[in-house]
Amino acid sequence: MTAASTPKGERRRHELVAAAAALLTEGGFDAIRHRAVAERAGMPLASTTYYFDSLDELIEAAVEHAGRAELVAGRERLARMQAGEPDDVIEFALDLLVKDSDMQAVMLRYERLVGTGRRPYLRPLMRQMGGELHQLLLEILTAGGVRMDDERVDQLISVVDGAVVNALIEVHPDPRAAARRMLLSVMPDLAAH
């Protein structure tokens, strides 16, 4: 048994991943550096190379950690909705796709999404989590009474992404609001839910 596979080692590895995920959210891929992650986790610099074979492995773990946390939160919210708690399905979908109204936070989120194209090692993970997000959106919208299928979910994601990117290019103060307006203009049946 190696030190990394002990309960203490697993806890330290998790702390490093959580620190890297926080840095990713705050500053994008460039923010994840061995020193920055170790400092954020309150560990010696050598910890990152002890628990991870490469910076790419640490980045992949951070991306998965952040993505899984969002999916879990979405599933928990869906369970509450299915239990009878009312929820605005459009806002719910936007919470998953855009998350924030802060332009800087939205820009960092989209930079991360686009940046995975330059990191081939992330593509399988992003495809898998993208499929899970797609399924979650389908379940949310269906539970909210919206007539939905896989093609409409793809359309919804494309409309939101296009509106957000255009809002970022135009330096729109609230990309999320722009996405909401565009979504309702091309899918007016969503407004009734």
Side-chain angles (χ1 to χ4, degrees):
M1 177 183 281
T2 66
S5 63
T6 66
K8 181 179 178 182
E10 286 299 318
R11 188 180 70 251
R12 286 185 171 178
R13 181 178 165 82
H14 176 76
E15 289 170 4
L16 289 166
V17 170
L23 289 166
L24 177 68
T25 300
E26 295 166 9
F29 290 112
D30 292 339
I32 301 178
R33 296 287 171 242
H34 290 287
R35 182 174 306 283
V37 172
E39 286 175 2
R40 174 65 68 98
M43 293 185 198
L45 175 58
S47 303
T48 58
T49 55
Y50 180 76
Y51 290 104
F52 298 91
D53 291 334
S54 66
L55 189 60
D56 289 349
E57 182 184 355
L58 179 55
I59 290 171
E60 184 174 9
V63 167
E64 183 168 16
H65 179 83
R68 294 268 170 237
E70 290 178 6
L71 288 168
V72 165
R75 286 188 192 104
E76 289 170 355
R77 187 170 166 186
L78 173 61
R80 289 190 304 273
M81 188 173 118
Q82 290 171 328
E85 286 187 29
D87 208 328
D88 180 337
V89 294
I90 297 171
E91 289 304 316
F92 193 167
L94 290 172
D95 286 346
L96 289 170
L97 295 170
V98 184
K99 191 157 178 91
D100 208 320
S101 289
D102 176 66
M103 189 167 134
Q104 186 64 27
V106 173
M107 190 176 308
L108 281 169
R109 183 179 182 85
Y110 274 78
E111 283 175 359
R112 284 193 315 271
L113 292 172
V114 172
T116 60
R118 283 177 286 186
R119 292 168 177 82
Y121 62 93
L122 290 176
R123 289 180 192 151
L125 174 64
M126 294 303 288
R127 271 193 296 276
Q128 178 188 358
M129 288 197 309
E132 291 176 38
L133 175 63
H134 186 281
Q135 182 60 37
L136 180 57
L137 286 167
L138 179 60
E139 291 173 29
I140 289 163
L141 293 160
T142 302
V146 179
R147 184 188 55 77
M148 196 56 55
D149 58 24
D150 286 332
E151 188 174 322
R152 280 200 86 206
V153 172
D154 285 341
Q155 184 182 23
L156 179 143
I157 293 169
S158 295
V159 167
V160 169
D161 286 345
V164 168
V165 170
N166 282 335
L168 291 172
I169 291 168
E170 296 171 8
V171 194
H172 192 282
D174 189 350
R176 181 184 170 114
R180 189 179 217 289
R181 277 192 307 279
M182 184 60 67
L183 190 55
L184 290 174
S185 73
V186 299
M187 296 181 161
D189 61 314
L190 291 178
H193 301 281

